[in-house]
Every structure is written in structure tokens, then in C-alpha cells.
Amino acid sequence: MDSRAYKNNGVIILWWDETAPTATGNENDFNHTLGEIVISPLAHPNVQGKPYVGALNYTHSDDLRTMQDIFHVHAKAYLGDAAKARGLNDLFAAGAID
């Protein structure tokens, strides 16, 4: 957090990965969850003095879409399911991600 990149509207994303699919084989059925923390000057502001906790369920594709948006690497198309994902915009302040 002391780096120039972070201080210049950077972001740190802590994301626990690797869940196992359920018996249905559907990895995105939300019967299991992973933690994800966004730390950034552009993160969603606190709510009533407490860190914001999003109510949406996200998938790997939401992370991928957000990274493609942040780094502007979606000039022609999003990769895989990121094309259908909504992204992590809810975890950032309004307008922080194009």
C-alpha cells in the first residue's frame, strides 16, 4: 500500500481460489463460497462506519472481466465467460471502473 502504483488509485485484490464442483459438476452453483477482499482508494466506501460487504455472488469470470476492464484489454472481446459476467463493479466506488 506504500507503492506509487497503489497510491495512484491502485488496487489490491485478495482472493481465495480453488473450490471443488458439487456432484452436479456445476462449479458456479454457489453451494460453496470463496472470500474476496478489494483494497483500494477506489473501493466502495464504508457503510455506516463498516467496510462494504457486497450482496452479489461472483464467479471467476467476474474477476476476469474486471481485470480486462481495468487494464483495457478487451478491445475486441472478453475472454470466455467474462463476456457474460457482470464484473466486480459493485465492490468499487461508482464510476471507478469504465
Side-chain angles (χ1 to χ4, degrees), residues 40-55:
S40 172
L42 300 177
H44 191 292
N46 290 349
V47 177
Q48 298 177 347
K50 295 182 181 179
Y52 175 73
V53 177

Side-chain angles (χ1 to χ4, degrees), residues 13-65:
I13 296 178
L14 304 174
W15 183 36
W16 289 256
D17 194 8
E18 302 303 327
T19 61
T22 62
T24 65
N26 182 356
E27 295 177 3
N28 295 323
D29 63 6
F30 302 113
N31 284 324
H32 44 275
T33 59
L34 299 171
E36 182 155 12
I37 299 171
V38 173
I39 305 167
S40 172
L42 300 177
H44 191 292
N46 290 349
V47 177
Q48 298 177 347
K50 295 182 181 179
Y52 175 73
V53 177
L56 303 173
N57 291 316
Y58 296 108
T59 67
H60 290 82
S61 299
D62 293 303
D63 281 281
L64 177 58
R65 183 181 184 103

Side-chain angles (χ1 to χ4, degrees), residues 9 40-44 70 89 91-98:
N9 294 325
S40 172
L42 300 177
H44 191 292
I70 288 172
N89 297 32
L91 301 179
F92 290 86
I97 299 176
D98 298 340

